Amino acid sequence: MIVVVTDVGSVTRLVRKRASAAETLHDPTGSGSLTPDTLAVRREIDVLSRCDAAGIVQLVGFGEHPVTWLETIDAGAHTLASPPLAVADRLAALAALARVLAGLHRRGWVHLSLEPEHVIWRRGVATGRGASHSGGDIDVTLCSLGSAVCPAGPAERAADREALLVVTVQYLEAFRQLRVFPVQAQQAVGDAVEGAHPHAARFAAQLL
């Protein structure tokens, strides 16, 4: 985490991602190739430089020395790997995620690596492009876009929808363990996502 204090006293928190220290791997022929870490960071820099969809982390700096690196504005400390505990907050986070992903698709992009660790959530108004995609008082921001693709075809969009469905069902199953009726939980998700069928989580994914 990097904290930058401006000359007017406001604070901007940045997050730095960097490739591994080894810049190249050498094959038996003696020619060098970029490490997977370096390639992934460079792909993410390219995506964040070109994608203007709301609800993705905001790129503010990048470079090549001493290794390939990028900096984004801090979007929050929690991911859906550690989801909000309250039922209403968790439903709000899922609804916000569906809207963010739908907006990404409308811009021609797909994430292709949607999993709980790549979905940041926080309370209140998110920083930067995530600010317009709040679900209740929970904001969601997508990160780790090194696999993102544009333009995306039907197969890629379907892969994102299926990933969204997996995440949604995972957290609806948690409601079953909390003795909340699954249909009630699904209806709450449907009501929170524009156009979703009120009685099935699958329709939240079909918004995309």
Side-chain angles (χ1 to χ4, degrees), residues 20-45:
S20 60
E23 275 295 313
T24 59
L25 295 173
H26 295 282
D27 60 33
T29 65
S31 62
S33 60
L34 294 173
T35 66
D37 278 352
T38 298
L39 289 172
V41 174
R42 286 185 176 179
R43 285 195 300 268
E44 189 160 0
I45 290 169

Side-chain angles (χ1 to χ4, degrees), residues 63-77:
E64 292 290 336
H65 300 288
V67 295
T68 305
W69 59 271
L70 64 86
E71 286 178 356
T72 60
I73 293 180
D74 179 24

Side-chain angles (χ1 to χ4, degrees), residues 4 18 26 31 34 36 58 60 62 64 66 85 92 112 114 122 124 130 135 149 152-153 157 177 182 190-191 199:
V4 178
R18 52 180 288 162
H26 295 282
S31 62
L34 294 173
Q58 185 174 353
V60 293
F62 59 91
E64 292 290 336
L85 296 178
L112 290 183
L114 186 67
R122 71 187 302 168
V149 172
R157 290 192 293 273
Q177 297 171 6
D191 290 345
H199 298 296

Side-chain angles (χ1 to χ4, degrees), residues 78-83 97 113-121 141 143 163 166-168 170-171:
H78 304 289
T79 72
L80 284 186
S82 300
L97 171 58
S113 186
L114 186 67
E115 54 190 66
E117 293 80 3
H118 299 163
V119 181
I120 301 169
W121 66 272
T141 305
C143 64
V166 168
V167 172
T168 302
Q170 175 182 344
Y171 292 115

